[in-house]
Amino acid sequence: MSDSHPMADVAPEPGVRKPDPVLVANNLQRSFGGLQAVDIDHLEVQRHTVTSLIGPNGAGKTTLFNLLTGFDTPDFGEWHLNGGPLVGIAAFQVARRGMVRTFQLTRSLARLTVMDNMLVAAKDNKGEGLWGALTGGWHATEQANEDRATELLERFGLEHMANEFAGGLSGGQRKLLEMARALMMNPEVVMLDEPMAGVNPALTQSLLTHITGLRDAGKTVVFVEHDMDVVQEISDWVVVMAEGRVIAEGPPEAIAKNRAVIDAYLGEHHGEAAT
Amino acid sequence: MDWGSIFIDGILATIGPVTAAYAISAIGLNLQFGYAGLLNFGHVAFMLVGAYGMAITVDFGGPLWLGIIIGILVAMLLGFLLGLPTLRLRADYLAITTIAAAEAIRLVVRSSWAEPLTNGVFGIQGFADSFFSLNPFPPAELYGIGSLVVTGRKLWVMIVGWTIAALFVFVVHRLMKSPWGRVIKAIREDEDATTSLGKNVFAYKLQALMIGGAIGGVAGMILAIDQQNVTPDAYLPQITFILYVIVILGGAGTILGPIVGAVVFQFLFFTIDALMVNAQADIGWVGDLLTPAAAGQVKLVLVGLGMMVLMVFRPQGILGSREEALIDER
Ligand SMILES: Nc1ncnc2c1ncn2[C@@H]1O[C@H](COP(=O)(O)OP(=O)(O)O)[C@@H](O)[C@H]1O
Ligand SMILES: [Mg+2]
């Protein structure tokens, strides 16, 4: 990042305010039985960035995603998208408001074709209502959606699979499809839960290009990743979680040197590697 | 043994109004189970409330057309009431609720305190006179070729029944080829994924349950009209079981599966029936062994065996696609 970037002046400390946050969470808490899975005082995500969310297994990253996108309900707390409160908003509504998530375990719609996977994600098709379905008049929208889907599939290298069942794709191709499908909704914020997991190394680089491409296209990307090299390479900002809390945040270079992070997270791996 | 008459009896039962009613009911169940993945184990209840909604309306002096509308509305209301508390929960809640509700409804309908409305175990008769007054065929006349004949009365119910079946095939086809149908199939594959794409999964499931229920209600009405009779004990849980057999046999989630399933099932079922009746008469020891009650059981055992064979050799049903069946759900 260049020094003129708006994030250049943001201090690398947990809960720090950012110049133009698209997503803000306050005092967000979720426990399972006695286990405090998420306990966040304050967190902001800067618009038009790739923000990585890292932390050891069980740190609460997926739970945080679930809370923010309405797939789970917090015990306490509130959060906003573009200033609009999201407390009590159903998951499908959150998606329609422009914050779309993918899943850690890929969820392709197996017995739908790749093209249908894409089309089902398109917004505002009047044929999706019962009345519209029976009376017709949705074919023009459908054609426009198909064109857009084809473009996206081409970008993700899946166009030759358009008429195959999604269940027949490889694991990596399904990750790609899930990402392309999310983009069909024209989201403002894209939340990717471990998009690289299980993807073969040959595909990783193209996935990374897609992620930075999203930011360059004016979207905000929050993504969970384990590989520190990957995080260093593409993040504008890194948020580190451990035991439900945000223990550090900052630009990737600062995070790599952060003592608390090395202890809580990197220490494990680096320690293992050293012995 | 008279093979000719066995075959003819089988065919007559297969093309008759009962098969049409089963096919229609299966179209409704196929929408719910085959396409939307909803485990409705009380489909017979939709048939019951449809038939009773119609019969009671006429019994209280209303016209038949109003009874039909009320029957459809009551079936949709039942779908709404069953779906509202369960469809946000895991799939098995709907299964348990529907199976219990179906029996509860039948028991309430036959109870003595519902008698003022339903006439209890005796049911309601003679509500379809105005339907038969529209019959263009002389009711006692025989139509057909050779010994394959039906009365004009039967023919009228058959024509109406199969026409309605064709109409519902068309409607479901149109729905499932539309973006609405695509969302329904997506929900069957993965509810969370579909939610993440901004679809109101609950509303879609409720719609599928209600529409499928309304179609089941119409099927109940056709059965009732054919017999000019509704009694609670015609709506036993095994009807739902038979409907599942029909849907799976024909191919769940296929447009024509319910029709093919109903026709094949009824043909086999009634041919076996006629076969056993013949055997009882012709072969002494078979007659001694197969009392009428035992024959009924044996038929169901044969159906179960047939289903097992089908599941082994063609799990996708007659019309289902093998490719689709082979996709493992990950
Ligand atoms: N539905 C649940 N029920 C009980 N415990 C859960 C549930 N979901 C997550 N947890 C627990 O919450 C903690 C955080 O999990 P998760 O958010 O999946 O972590 P991460 O994605 O960072 O690996 C873990 O200890 C996990 O076992
Ligand atoms: Mg996780």
Side-chain angles (χ1 to χ4, degrees), chain B:
Chain B
M1 238 188 275
D2 181 357
W3 292 103
S5 93
I6 290 172
F7 193 63
I8 289 206
D9 284 355
I11 288 191
L12 281 176
T14 303
I15 59 174
V18 176
T19 307
Y22 273 44
I24 293 169
S25 194
I27 292 171
L29 182 64
N30 186 44
L31 179 62
Q32 299 167 337
F33 166 72
Y35 285 115
L38 300 173
L39 295 176
N40 166 19
F41 285 136
H43 199 55
V44 69
F46 291 103
M47 300 172 72
L48 184 155
V49 298
Y52 268 87
M54 174 185 69
I56 291 172
T57 307
V58 176
D59 207 33
F60 278 75
L64 185 64
W65 63 262
L66 181 66
I68 292 170
I69 291 174
I70 287 182
I72 292 175
L73 290 179
V74 176
M76 291 179 85
L77 179 68
L78 177 65
F80 183 77
L81 293 176
L82 289 172
L84 200 61
T86 55
L87 288 178
R88 286 183 204 278
L89 308 173
R90 263 193 351 243
D92 33 350
Y93 285 87
L94 178 69
I96 295 163
T97 306
T98 47
I99 201 168
E103 263 305 82
I105 289 169
R106 185 177 71 84
L107 293 175
V108 168
V109 164
R110 82 196 292 282
S111 70
S112 54
W113 60 265
E115 248 171 55
L117 211 57
T118 65
N119 204 21
V121 287
F122 304 108
I124 303 168
Q125 289 76 31
F127 41 80
D129 292 344
S130 60
F131 173 82
F132 288 107
S133 72
L134 294 176
N135 181 0
F137 310 103
E141 193 114 335
L142 292 179
Y143 293 86
I145 20 166
S147 49
L148 193 68
V149 287
V150 294
T151 62
R153 183 188 183 282
K154 261 293 182 257
L155 184 65
W156 177 226
V157 192
M158 271 167 59
I159 289 176
V160 172
W162 284 112
T163 305
I164 293 174
L167 182 78
F168 281 137
V169 165
F170 172 76
V171 169
V172 170
H173 176 72
R174 193 165 170 85
L175 281 176
M176 293 318 299
K177 288 286 169 214
S178 78
W180 184 88
R182 190 166 54 215
V183 177
I184 289 289
K185 283 186 258 182
I187 289 170
R188 174 191 69 194
E189 296 302 303
D190 192 321
E191 287 187 14
D192 281 348
T194 312
T195 301
S196 80
L197 301 175
K199 310 302 169 200
N200 187 349
V201 166
F202 173 75
Y204 278 98
K205 289 202 290 186
L206 198 57
Q207 287 170 8
L209 190 63
M210 289 172 68
I211 298 170
I215 297 174
V218 171
M221 291 182 216
I222 290 168
L223 268 188
I225 286 174
D226 177 44
Q227 272 130 44
Q228 276 269 41
N229 182 14
V230 283
T231 52
D233 297 338
Y235 300 93
L236 296 169
Q238 53 256 46
I239 307 260
T240 302
F241 165 74
I242 288 173
L243 292 170
Y244 267 93
V245 172
I246 286 172
V247 168
I248 294 168
L249 175 69
T254 61
I255 293 292
L256 287 173
I259 305 280
V260 172
V263 166
V264 171
F265 177 84
Q266 291 282 91
F267 180 73
L268 293 178
F269 198 77
F270 283 103
T271 307
I272 291 170
D273 192 48
L275 204 68
M276 287 201 296
V277 171
N278 261 270
Q280 276 164 340
D282 292 4
I283 311 168
W285 61 269
V286 177
D288 295 339
L289 216 61
L290 275 183
T291 60
Q297 306 290 329
V298 168
K299 262 191 294 180
L300 282 177
V301 168
L302 289 176
V303 170
L305 276 176
M307 275 310 277
M308 283 162 63
V309 172
L310 179 76
M311 285 299 99
V312 170
F313 292 103
R314 210 178 158 79
Q316 72 273 35
I318 297 172
L319 297 183
S321 117
R322 177 128 198 109
E323 193 195 350
E324 228 176 292
L326 284 178
I327 289 173
D328 57 323
E329 290 166 52
R330 275 172 288 193

Side-chain angles (χ1 to χ4, degrees), chain A residues 32 35 37 56-63 104:
Chain A
F32 297 108
L35 178 93
N57 260 326
K61 305 178 298 288
T62 297
T63 307
Q104 184 170 349

Side-chain angles (χ1 to χ4, degrees), chain A residues 96 120 128 134 142 174, chain B residues 174 182 198-199 204 330:
Chain A
R96 285 190 194 178
V120 83
E128 283 186 355
L134 285 174
E142 185 87 346
R174 278 188 235 182
Chain B
R174 193 165 170 85
R182 190 166 54 215
K199 310 302 169 200
Y204 278 98
R330 275 172 288 193

